[in-house]
Amino acid sequence: MARPTPLSGFPELLPADRVVEQQVLDSLRATFELYGFAGIETRAVEPLSVLLRKGEIDKEVYVVRRLHADDTGEDAGGDQLALHFDLTVPFARYVLENAGRLQFPFRRYQIQKVWRGERPQEGRYREFLQADIDVVDRDTLAPHHDVEMARVMVDALSRLPLPGVRLQLNNRKLIEGFYRGLGVDDVAAVMRVVDKLDKVGGDEVARQLREDVGLDDAQVAGCLRLPQLSSGADDAAGFAQRVRALGVQHPLLEEGLAELVAVLAGCADLRSERVDVVADLSVARGLDYYTGTVYETRLLGYEHLGSICSGGRYDALASDGSTTYPGVGISFGVTRTLAPLLARGALTASRSVPTAVVVAVVDEARRADSDAVAAALRARGVPTEVSPSAAKFGKQIRYADRRGIPFVWFPQDDGGHEVKDIRSGEQVPADPATWTPPEQDLRPVVRAAADTPG
């Protein structure tokens, strides 16, 4: 068989990198559950018609069909199936299907793969892992949940071995009200164009607003003034004055500004050496289902990756015609964040295997003795493996060393036992019924490099 060619945009992890990812996921799960979020998993596919209603995403959706299927779409009741591009749309469908069995407000977390047909590059992949949290209620959702989403995710990120983060806040009502105050008709189109500002620059955004959306020069100038405003969380009142000083008036603008100021004030105490919280009116989010607060998060020193953690409020995404289920959520791009850090060596694991100790084999006739030692250690939660061969002890030690395993266990001819720390060379008597490695050696440790990003 010829050597396979890697598929661009579908990252696969080596064992040491997988150790890092697993510890990140364990930490995220623990933090989300600490705040009372329940874990769920949804199916990988949704009807294409559902996915295509949710924003400028149609060119990135992967459709799913059987090799010899006809064009009737029979597997979806006449609707083509497609892989989900985020976890919010599937979650909205999940809420509608299970509303009678859920308790509201419903708090969920979900850690799952998603798929987008994007052009692969650092921080952007075709298959990637996301970790989402959402709160959904019936008919109305209390505004304090907008603050809670930010606080929970900042706590979750602060527990990870990541560089600092900047949480950027905005409000879609504010943006829409501002554009309507300028006389803009197609607000959604303007939002999608302005959301590209940090990717394509002001000149290109201005061109698209004129040529593609049909705005005049005064409207374009106004649309480009708004994203220039930002403020730290400690100056919410001054920020509101600067927005009003732009001279645009609309009731929806005032409603969104009041909501944004409240969220900004509610997150002010999150600021620390590793966390910054700002209002940033360049944040729009390209998906149409957001209706209020929106979030984006930048990794300090890695701003070129774009937002690693984003989301917002959606008041009408889930509705069965008689009841609406408004929600607010935020999503952390696990793969988007970890893959570049792993590739650059900014995150590493102390070893590539979970094993803390290798039990040496004196000779094959006595392998059962080594197996018994391993069983005793495993019974007390010590990750243990038995040497694959009864080679000379030096070779068995090298086997452990190549894998970063810190200890080798030696059964003695007199029935006793000794364990060796192969890093220091110290070898001491040990009892398989009581010996445990130091806490820092029991499991692989994730380390963050001190180097600045290159």
Side-chain angles (χ1 to χ4, degrees):
M1 178 180 177
R3 184 173 182 176
T5 302
L7 285 177
S8 179
F10 294 85
E12 294 180 319
L13 300 180
L14 292 172
D17 295 339
R18 178 66 169 160
V19 168
V20 175
E21 183 186 70
Q22 284 297 110
Q23 290 201 17
V24 165
L25 298 183
D26 290 344
S27 178
L28 291 171
R29 277 190 287 265
T31 304
F32 297 157
E33 291 178 2
L34 195 62
Y35 286 83
F37 289 82
I40 69 166
E41 181 172 293
T42 58
R43 65 198 186 202
V45 297
E46 297 292 336
L48 183 60
S49 62
V50 172
L51 295 178
L52 294 186
R53 290 202 304 264
K54 308 309 176 185
E56 195 178 63
I57 199 74
D58 55 301
K59 295 180 181 179
E60 300 176 4
V61 174
Y62 283 110
V63 297
V64 177
R65 64 190 297 272
R66 289 179 291 117
L67 181 61
H68 299 293
D70 57 28
D71 296 326
T72 63
E74 60 181 357
D75 292 329
D79 198 349
Q80 177 69 60
L81 296 177
L83 294 171
H84 56 228
F85 61 83
D86 74 355
L87 298 180
T88 305
V89 174
F91 175 56
R93 187 267 312 157
Y94 177 93
V95 169
L96 289 176
E97 288 190 10
N98 296 284
R101 293 176 287 181
L102 300 176
Q103 298 298 316
F104 293 93
F106 178 50
R107 306 162 67 84
R108 87 76 155 93
Y109 76 88
Q110 186 172 353
I111 302 175
Q112 217 170 317
K113 290 285 185 71
V114 300
W115 295 267
R116 291 188 186 181
E118 297 191 285
R119 181 175 66 85
Q121 55 186 296
E122 186 180 42
R124 290 191 177 273
Y125 309 97
R126 294 172 177 175
E127 179 183 67
F128 52 98
L129 193 64
Q130 287 190 181
D132 285 26
I133 52 172
D134 288 79
V135 177
V136 170
D137 210 340
R138 278 194 175 98
D139 296 322
T140 60
L141 179 69
H144 65 78
H145 290 298
D146 291 23
V147 176
E148 182 186 24
M149 286 297 101
R151 300 187 69 89
V152 174
M153 191 57 81
V154 165
D155 189 6
L157 297 179
S158 297
R159 295 168 188 255
L160 302 179
L162 300 177
V165 297
R166 178 181 296 111
L167 174 64
Q168 300 165 295
L169 303 169
N170 200 356
N171 189 286
R172 289 282 286 247
K173 293 177 185 176
L174 187 162
I175 304 170
E176 181 176 348
F178 186 88
Y179 295 155
R180 292 198 182 283
L182 290 173
V184 172
D185 295 323
D186 194 347
V187 171
V190 173
M191 285 187 184
R192 286 193 291 269
V193 172
V194 175
D195 194 39
K196 305 173 186 176
L197 192 61
D198 62 339
K199 302 174 186 175
V200 301
D203 291 343
E204 175 60 18
V205 167
R207 185 197 66 78
Q208 292 185 25
L209 290 175
R210 290 189 188 94
E211 299 178 9
D212 299 341
V213 186
L215 302 191
D216 61 33
D217 289 344
Q219 291 172 322
V220 170
C223 290
L224 291 178
R225 282 200 304 271
L226 187 68
Q228 296 175 15
L229 291 184
S230 63
S231 172
D234 56 350
D235 187 28
F239 166 72
Q241 292 178 355
R242 290 193 294 277
V243 174
R244 295 188 178 103
L246 294 176
V248 177
Q249 296 182 348
H250 194 277
L252 196 59
L253 166 61
E254 286 297 322
E255 183 180 344
L257 181 57
E259 291 179 1
L260 177 56
V261 167
V263 175
L264 195 64
C267 295
D269 66 327
L270 294 177
R271 300 176 69 203
S272 67
E273 291 183 359
R274 296 185 61 235
V275 177
D276 191 16
V277 180
V278 299
D280 187 336
L281 300 193
S282 69
V283 173
R285 306 300 304 146
L287 295 170
D288 290 343
Y289 53 67
Y290 293 119
T291 55
T293 300
V294 286
Y295 318 92
E296 286 192 353
T297 309
R298 297 297 197 275
L299 197 63
L300 299 181
Y302 295 84
E303 287 85 356
H304 66 282
L305 297 178
S307 179
I308 63 161
C309 185
S310 57
R313 175 177 278 257
Y314 46 93
D315 287 327
L317 182 59
S319 176
D320 59 11
S322 60
T323 303
T324 299
Y325 299 89
V328 60
I330 191 165
S331 172
F332 172 49
V334 178
T335 307
R336 183 185 184 94
T337 304
L338 293 187
L341 296 177
L342 292 169
R344 294 174 180 225
L347 289 180
T348 59
S350 58
R351 58 183 186 261
S352 61
V353 296
T355 312
V357 56
V358 171
V359 181
V361 177
V362 177
D363 59 60
E364 290 299 336
R366 295 173 57 184
R367 177 171 287 275
D369 296 339
S370 298
D371 289 338
V373 171
L377 293 171
R378 293 177 190 132
R380 291 183 298 100
V382 180
T384 307
E385 61 181 279
V386 178
S387 177
S389 71
K392 292 181 179 180
F393 282 165
K395 187 172 183 180
Q396 295 188 56
I397 291 173
R398 286 193 295 274
Y399 170 85
D401 185 49
R402 286 194 300 270
R403 288 156 179 78
I405 301 169
F407 296 96
V408 177
W409 190 284
F410 298 103
Q412 303 297 300
D413 291 339
D414 62 2
H417 303 269
E418 292 185 357
V419 66
K420 181 174 185 174
D421 184 334
I422 63 174
R423 299 162 298 183
S424 66
E426 181 183 15
Q427 185 166 325
V428 297
D431 183 347
T434 59
W435 180 86
T436 300
E439 181 65 28
Q440 66 269 21
D441 291 326
L442 186 60
R443 297 284 188 272
V445 176
V446 175
R447 301 190 180 103
D451 298 337
T452 57

